[in-house]
Every structure is written in structure tokens, then in C-alpha cells.
Amino acid sequence: AQYEYLSQFEELYGDCIDDEESTIYGGKFNKMPKDIRLPEFPGGGDIQFTRYVHDNIEYPDVVDSVIPSQVPGQEDIVYRAKGVVIVQIVIDRCGRATRQEVVQSVNEAYDNEALRIMQSLPVFRAAASNGDRVKVALLVPVHFTRNRLKPEKQEYDYYDSDDYY
């Protein structure tokens, strides 16, 4: 029930389909008008959006460096790459995130993970200008900060009495 609010805007636009070309404001498209009401993420805007992205990251194991263990028999310390992938998304007039594109890359695995999250976004409240819904591009930073890889636990083959008669 942690994310009940994510469906907050789903009913707002009914069977809306935004398949017509129209001006996109913001990002690398067109200047943002002063009177625009930006798209709103369900449940409270930027804070919930940031929390959603953070909670949905599945860290790919991209190794940045390894520090050899000084103690025989202990695991080396392996550090993950850090970085910020910036993805441009367009929130269409139906409140859906579309046209996901990496504009600042870290590496292929992190870029793909950032795109996966942006493709899973719930419906936003669409942007509006002068009372009309409009398309708006947003630049979304996806921070990969968890640095240390946990050493894998040893797998053991256990004696299984069913194997032996």
C-alpha cells in the first residue's frame, strides 16, 4: 500500500490518446512559457517522484574498482561505478511519460536501467498553459550512488539423502 497514490491521475484523462504532433515545451525542445503549470507526479510532485526513482533502481553490477584484501581468505572489496544518468522524458497531454532518451550517459547498463525506470512511470497530471493541456519535456537525474558490492555468500552443495540409496 506504499504506492497507492501512484494511480491518482489515471482516471483524469479517460481513454486519452495523444498521438498528434504538437509543441513540446522544455528540455531540448522549446522555451518554457512563463504561465505553464508543470506536470505533477502523483502523490505530491518532486519529492514523491525522486522517491519513486530511488526505490525502483535495481543496481547493475558495474565494477569501478577492486581493492585486494590484505587478509588471506577474506574477499576483495569491490566498488560499483557511481554516476548520474540524465534522462529526458516528455509528459504528453494524457499525462504519460513518452520519448525517453538518455541525454547524459554513465555506462550502458546504468543508462538502460534509468530508461527502464522512466518507462515504468505512472500517469502524471499533464502540464497546462492557458487552460489547455500541453506536452512538456523534463530532464530527470537518476543517481547511482550505492558504491560497495556485497561479497557473495558461498554456495554449498548439501548432502541430500534422496541422492543415495
Side-chain angles (χ1 to χ4, degrees):
Q2 180 184 4
Y3 289 116
E4 286 173 357
Y5 61 84
L6 289 180
S7 59
Q8 175 182 356
F9 299 127
E10 275 178 16
E11 301 300 315
L12 209 50
Y13 307 115
D15 295 330
C16 178
I17 296 171
D18 187 356
D19 56 3
E20 294 172 22
E21 282 304 313
S22 62
T23 304
I24 300 172
Y25 298 105
K28 64 179 188 179
F29 294 99
N30 296 283
K31 197 166 191 281
M32 194 81 74
K34 288 196 181 354
D35 71 333
I36 207 157
R37 186 196 75 218
L38 291 173
E40 181 187 335
F41 189 81
D46 291 349
I47 291 170
Q48 294 296 8
F49 191 5
T50 302
R51 182 174 291 147
Y52 178 88
V53 171
H54 178 268
D55 289 351
N56 282 282
I57 287 180
E58 293 171 9
Y59 278 84
D61 289 338
V62 179
V63 174
D64 177 61
S65 59
V66 177
I67 298 176
S69 171
Q70 303 300 315
V71 181
Q74 274 198 348
E75 299 275 336
D76 295 341
I77 300 172
V78 181
Y79 290 99
R80 265 195 194 96
K82 283 185 172 187
V84 180
V85 176
I86 297 181
V87 181
Q88 178 176 264
I89 59 174
V90 174
I91 305 300
D92 72 10
R93 293 172 291 194
C94 302
R96 289 186 183 83
T98 63
R99 301 190 192 197
Q100 298 86 351
E101 176 192 352
V102 172
V103 294
Q104 177 181 298
S105 171
V106 173
N107 59 53
E108 188 178 355
Y110 285 6
D111 295 355
N112 289 339
E113 177 59 10
L115 286 171
R116 183 193 68 78
I117 295 167
M118 292 305 116
Q119 289 160 353
S120 77
L121 293 173
V123 175
F124 285 64
R125 184 170 79 169
S129 179
N130 295 323
D132 295 323
R133 286 181 289 174
V134 295
K135 295 178 185 175
V136 167
L138 302 174
L139 295 172
V140 183
V142 180
H143 296 264
F144 291 88
T145 56
R146 188 179 303 149
N147 201 352
R148 194 164 169 183
L149 266 169
K150 296 235 184 303
E152 289 182 22
K153 296 237 183 308
Q154 288 269 266
E155 293 289 323
Y156 295 102
D157 289 329
Y158 289 100
Y159 168 76
D160 185 348
S161 61
D162 294 341
D163 292 345
Y164 302 95
Y165 292 102

